[in-house]
Amino acid sequence: MTPPQKNIWPYVFTSVKVAVGLVLLWFSLQQAQWARIAESITQVNMLWLALTFFYVLCGLALKVWRWARMLRYVGVPLPVSLTSQAFLAGQALNILLPARGGEWGRLGLILAEQSGKSAEVGMTIVLEKVIDLAMLGICATFVSVYLPSDILYWLLPIGGLLIFLMFVFTLWGEMMWNRFKNHLEYIRGSGIKKVVEFTDQVFIAGKWIRNTKQTGYIFFITLLVWLIMWGTNLTLFRAMGISLGAEAALLVLVLVYIGMLPALMPGNIGPFYFFAQLALRPFQVGDQEAVAYSVLLHALVTLPPLVGGGISLLLSRRPGKKTRREHYE
């Protein structure tokens, strides 16, 4: 009897992604002069740098608060401390792994406290990504004149499509699912039954979206998150003495976000450096200044969630640590 063969395609796909990330890293550092880059970094204005770091922390706090509110809306109220641990652990895993496994990580940490809520928690994570992608499309329209045409041609339609699908899901999604579900009753099997039950839970959990007060609150927090991320880029310009304004800061935000979407490599160092420098190119920023800016910005936005996530993972794995649910069993 021959042993079952392993599926090598996931490994091939991951290897290709990492290779692309390394190529982008090589392009972004090809002309780097490290002595001049180090000089640019050491001459930053510490007051503006501290403000930039404060913005990064505020952005993380708002993202945690947004997710905590969404969890409450779907009937999974949890302490902000636990939500923070799960969110930061997920962020750390996304940084460390060449794949977006952080979402599965924070889903698992929450389900350890609230078992049987996978549909509700999973929906909040998906909706969080959809809202941010829609906001990315909106931001891209403001800097569309600077975006490469090949990026613009797919980004704006995707942003518009996501907004449209959110409206469809909100207004007619449950009605369309109930009609389609009737046809599935003729198909027997435990697998189909589980899919139906899971989808029913998703639509039940998603009823809060029709509440304009609650959705308005989530979109308001999202707007604040993106304004703070934009402000982070802007204040770092001031810290490094780079004379650029709001458009350049927004273009950095849009292109870096696009570059990080595929999670090409651990740390996303290559795509982050490459797309940050690409965003500065239309504004005639010098090569060494652009590299220094990308290195410093990457460190500022990566280290807090990485350190916080590492601490969260250590706390969640403490020997003898019981979950809230185990205390009552």
Side-chain angles (χ1 to χ4, degrees), residues 86-104:
F87 185 87
L88 292 174
Q91 292 274 300
L93 289 173
N94 278 338
I95 293 170
L96 294 173
L97 301 176
R100 289 205 164 268
E103 280 67 39
W104 293 104

Side-chain angles (χ1 to χ4, degrees), residues 70 122-132 166 208-209:
M70 293 172 70
M123 180 196 171
T124 62
I125 296 175
V126 171
L127 189 58
E128 176 189 89
K129 302 305 177 185
V130 169
I131 293 174
D132 280 333
M166 287 173 61
W208 69 269
I209 301 176

